């Protein structure tokens, strides 16, 4: 009986180690590349994900920050909601809030953009950043941006 329990414990430990290693490999293999394409709209040239997230501003951020004007397509129900951003740097754990100041509520702009807001962003370092947008506490969408912090 002791032998069966010992074998079961050893098997469980080996299994957990294999699963743990697989998870780490999957995280390392996640491909990070700038997914923020440049496109034009009625409001000017933007980068982001056309039809979802559009940002007017520069990807080069100075020590005082950079002004970004955010545009969100989607359904009317995102208008007049609170929004927030979480940013994750490639190869690092944990998220930051890159926004120093912002319009707290989204406002509609035109016939298609149901969320629009101004902000000032600042990133602690250059590199690839995954930017996730949450509207009214719910995940909206994300883009990966190659930020140049000066």
């Amino acid at each position: 009986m002791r032998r069966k329990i010992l074998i079961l414990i050893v098997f469980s430990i080996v299994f957990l180690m294999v699963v743990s290693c697989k998870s780490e490999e999957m995280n390392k293999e996640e491909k990070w590349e700038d997914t923020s394409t440049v496109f034009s709209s009625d409001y000017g040239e933007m980068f982001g994900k056309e039809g979802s997230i559009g940002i007017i501003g520069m990807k080069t951020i100075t020590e005082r920050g950079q002004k970004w004007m955010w545009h969100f397509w989607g359904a009317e129900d995102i208008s007049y909601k609170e929004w927030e951003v979480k940013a994750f740097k490639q190869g690092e754990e944990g998220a930051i809030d890159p926004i120093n100041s912002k319009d707290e509520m989204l406002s509609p702009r035109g016939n298609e953009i149901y969320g629009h807001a101004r902000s000032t962003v600042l990133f602690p370092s250059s590199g690839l950043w995954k930017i996730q947008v949450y509207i009214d506490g719910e995940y909206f969408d994300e883009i990966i941006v190659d930020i140049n912090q000066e």
Side-chain angles (χ1 to χ4, degrees):
M1 182 68 171
R2 281 187 167 172
R3 189 172 185 200
K4 288 182 182 180
I5 292 174
L6 183 59
I7 290 172
L8 181 62
I9 290 171
V10 170
F11 178 74
S12 297
I13 291 171
V14 170
F15 177 76
L16 289 174
M17 288 174 56
V18 168
V19 169
S20 169
C21 289
K22 281 283 190 201
S23 295
E24 287 180 23
E25 285 177 21
M26 288 174 64
N27 286 338
K28 289 179 185 175
E29 291 176 9
E30 181 182 10
K31 288 200 173 202
W32 284 65
E33 58 186 45
D34 191 337
T35 60
S36 61
T37 59
V38 176
F39 58 94
S40 293
S41 78
D42 294 341
Y43 301 101
E45 190 171 273
M46 302 181 184
F47 68 89
K49 189 184 291 184
E50 192 168 3
S52 181
I53 299 172
I55 300 169
I56 296 176
M58 304 283 290
K59 294 181 187 180
T60 298
I61 313 294
T62 68
E63 62 186 26
R64 292 187 314 229
Q66 178 63 254
K67 291 181 181 182
W68 280 5
M69 191 175 302
W70 301 75
H71 300 81
F72 305 112
W73 287 260
E76 287 183 53
D77 64 351
I78 66 172
S79 297
Y80 307 107
K81 303 278 176 126
E82 292 184 2
W83 65 291
E84 65 180 315
V85 172
K86 293 179 184 178
F88 301 84
K89 186 170 185 193
Q90 180 184 25
E92 295 183 8
E93 291 189 25
I96 67 159
D97 179 357
I99 296 182
N100 285 347
S101 64
K102 68 176 183 168
D103 294 333
E104 292 299 320
M105 303 289 264
L106 296 174
S107 59
R109 188 172 192 193
N111 294 329
E112 295 179 4
I113 298 172
Y114 295 111
H116 166 261
R118 299 165 297 180
S119 75
T120 302
V121 296
L122 184 63
F123 292 83
S125 60
S126 298
L128 289 173
W129 287 86
K130 182 184 293 184
I131 299 173
Q132 295 180 337
V133 176
Y134 293 81
I135 298 176
D136 208 23
E138 294 185 26
Y139 175 81
F140 179 74
D141 206 349
E142 68 186 30
I143 56 174
I144 297 176
V145 180
D146 191 4
I147 296 294
N148 181 22
Q149 180 67 43
E150 292 186 339

